[in-house]
Amino acid sequence: MMFKKITAATAIFLLAGAAHAQLTETEQRIVAAVRQRTPAALELLEKSVRINSGTLNPEGVRAVGEIYRAELDALGFKTRWIDMPPAMKRAGHLVATHEGGQGKRLLLLGHLDTVFEKGSSVPLWERQGDRVRGQGVNDMKGGDVIMIEALRALKSVGALDQANLEIMFTGDEERGGQPLQVARADMVAMGKRADYALSFEGSNKHDGVDTASIARRSSGGWVLNVKGKPAHSMGVFSAQSGYGAIYETARILNAFREQVIEPSLTFNPGLAFGGTNISYAEDTATASAFGKSNVIARDAQVLGDLRYLSPEQGERARRKMQAIVSTGNLPGTSATISFTESYPPMPPTDAGRKLVELYSKASQDAGAGRIDVLDPSLRGAGDVQFVAPYTVGIDGLGAQGRGSHTDDEDLEIASIERGAIRAALLIYRLTQAPH
């Protein structure tokens, strides 16, 4: 007998069709279990948020990890801590595994660290009516709690018993340890084993509708170095003295703006400095320059980021930028540009769209409204991008809030219950499908 391999996209079509009925009795019990835990879920969130876990505070990151580890241990997961090389100066990652039957294998992603380092003036936890302000409350401890509460609800009705799940809570999502190939090696291995990857970064609204992400742009950078001839300013524009490094820098940046822009592509010059002598301190992200208005600038440097939706778009942008830098230089100047990539791009796929359809159907069945696909230009980079080449991924299953990464970061308390219901139903329906 011959068996035809079922693709991820086909499987999701079948799942979506099976989900057209309203909630089953088991699913109703799952929803009830989430709602029963709503006050306790908020307490768990507060407990984890009240610990500073800035990326460069490894003790705090580990402390938050231990809170979640205890929860997962109680749910029957096998947990372990993955240490990173000491030179990386990162806390490491929490990993949990649940081996069930022969169903689909899911990878669930979260992160323990926040952008708020020790000594931050932002309150750890500040209740404001139906919202909470705090360090990492939305990005992404709210999403971490949603994941745990969804799994707890499944456990309470016996729906977790046969599930094949792997979880990774990274300790350096906000400031990835270098080299990233080492920092994300275990995650990539998990992605290769998974049928689906669900990431619990914060959920966004667009035009009043909740969204999820199936595409995220790369996160990388570029450094532009420009040389000119130092000379008295009286000779600027002359054949002998040339135009200087700063005029050549302006030419290049304007040419980028005129010639390289296309949809879903951005290349932002975040820092530019020039003069007779310049320097840059990587550890403090500060630049210094010495020069005088009557001296033609000898050196200039620009640090920028580069974000694109597909490898092809990234290569096209780099070629155009390199051509602008290498040709048409103003008299007496030269320039070079180098590129780096931190997070790979996650292009949209049909399988990803169908996964959002299934997620939306689960949400609608639970009375929580539809889910639309978010424009990737409205979202930054995230860990799910490292596994996107190997599995079907979706992001944005976390909490809803405002001001992520700012002093005013907050969270809508009701989004914890809503997100846990949606996630629990999605995980349940995915893990019920044959492998």
Side-chain angles (χ1 to χ4, degrees), residues 111 113-116 122 134-140 173-175 201 216 307 380-381 402-410:
H111 66 80
D113 63 317
T114 76
V115 299
F116 303 96
V122 176
Q135 296 184 15
V137 68
N138 175 26
D139 186 12
M140 67 169 291
E173 196 272 349
E174 300 294 0
R175 295 183 67 174
E201 289 271 15
R216 300 186 75 162
R307 298 172 187 265
R402 300 175 299 208
S404 179
H405 288 205
T406 74
D407 290 358
D408 295 318
E409 179 172 325
D410 79 349

Side-chain angles (χ1 to χ4, degrees), residues 84-395:
M84 292 292 102
M88 197 176 286
K89 298 180 180 180
R90 295 295 188 270
H93 315 310
L94 173 62
V95 170
T97 304
H98 188 284
E99 296 293 345
Q102 300 300 310
K104 298 288 185 180
R105 180 176 291 275
L106 272 59
L107 171 61
L108 312 182
L109 297 175
H111 66 80
L112 308 169
D113 63 317
T114 76
V115 299
F116 303 96
E117 298 297 345
K118 290 178 69 173
S120 170
S121 61
V122 176
L124 286 168
W125 178 272
E126 186 177 82
R127 180 74 180 262
Q128 299 175 335
D130 60 356
R131 307 187 75 87
V132 171
R133 177 188 177 210
Q135 296 184 15
V137 68
N138 175 26
D139 186 12
M140 67 169 291
K141 292 176 182 178
D144 296 337
V145 168
I146 284 174
M147 181 203 300
I148 292 169
E149 292 302 320
L151 296 173
R152 195 192 315 275
L154 294 173
K155 177 72 172 180
S156 71
V157 301
L160 194 60
D161 297 345
Q162 298 301 311
N164 291 317
L165 303 170
E166 286 191 283
I167 299 171
M168 175 174 274
F169 288 112
T170 56
D172 63 346
E173 196 272 349
E174 300 294 0
R175 295 183 67 174
Q178 300 296 326
L180 274 171
Q181 292 87 343
V182 174
R184 296 297 178 268
D186 294 279
M187 179 185 290
V188 169
M190 293 178 183
K192 291 179 178 179
R193 294 192 292 267
D195 295 294
Y196 307 101
L198 311 181
S199 181
F200 287 76
E201 289 271 15
S203 173
N204 292 358
K205 277 186 178 292
H206 186 60
D207 292 336
V209 179
D210 293 345
T211 64
S213 295
I214 60 168
R216 300 186 75 162
R217 297 186 300 160
S218 69
S219 176
W222 48 274
V223 178
L224 173 67
N225 287 291
V226 183
K227 290 285 187 181
K229 295 180 181 180
H232 196 289
S233 63
M234 63 179 286
V236 72
F237 310 142
S238 68
Q240 181 178 358
S241 299
Y243 281 63
I246 292 178
Y247 267 122
E248 172 64 357
T249 300
R251 177 197 73 83
I252 291 170
L253 294 181
N254 190 57
F256 285 175
R257 180 185 64 83
E258 292 181 335
Q259 301 176 35
V260 186
I261 289 177
E262 61 180 72
S264 298
L265 175 70
T266 57
F267 40 91
N268 177 59
L271 178 64
F273 48 103
T276 303
N277 292 298
I278 62 174
S279 63
Y280 177 73
E282 181 73 35
D283 57 341
T284 59
T286 57
S288 62
F290 169 80
K292 294 183 177 181
S293 62
N294 62 352
V295 178
I296 298 173
R298 177 176 62 190
D299 292 296
Q301 189 173 84
V302 182
L303 281 64
D305 81 343
L306 177 63
R307 298 172 187 265
Y308 47 86
L309 193 53
S310 69
E312 295 77 15
Q313 185 178 51
E315 181 58 29
R316 185 165 60 248
R318 286 188 290 265
R319 283 199 310 267
K320 290 180 179 179
M321 294 170 77
Q322 183 64 66
I324 290 168
V325 169
S326 302
T327 59
N329 303 104
L330 295 175
T333 69
S334 62
T336 60
I337 190 169
S338 59
F339 298 92
T340 58
E341 182 179 85
S342 299
Y343 283 73
M346 179 181 176
T349 65
D350 288 340
R353 292 185 185 92
K354 293 172 178 61
L355 184 54
V356 172
E357 289 174 10
L358 184 61
Y359 181 46
S360 181
K361 186 65 173 65
S363 177
Q364 289 173 294
D365 287 348
R370 79 175 194 271
I371 307 290
D372 285 349
V373 174
L374 182 66
D375 183 337
S377 68
L378 300 178
R379 164 149 240 156
D383 275 340
V384 71
Q385 292 166 236
F386 289 100
V387 301
Y390 314 106
T391 187
V392 183
I394 182 176
D395 205 345

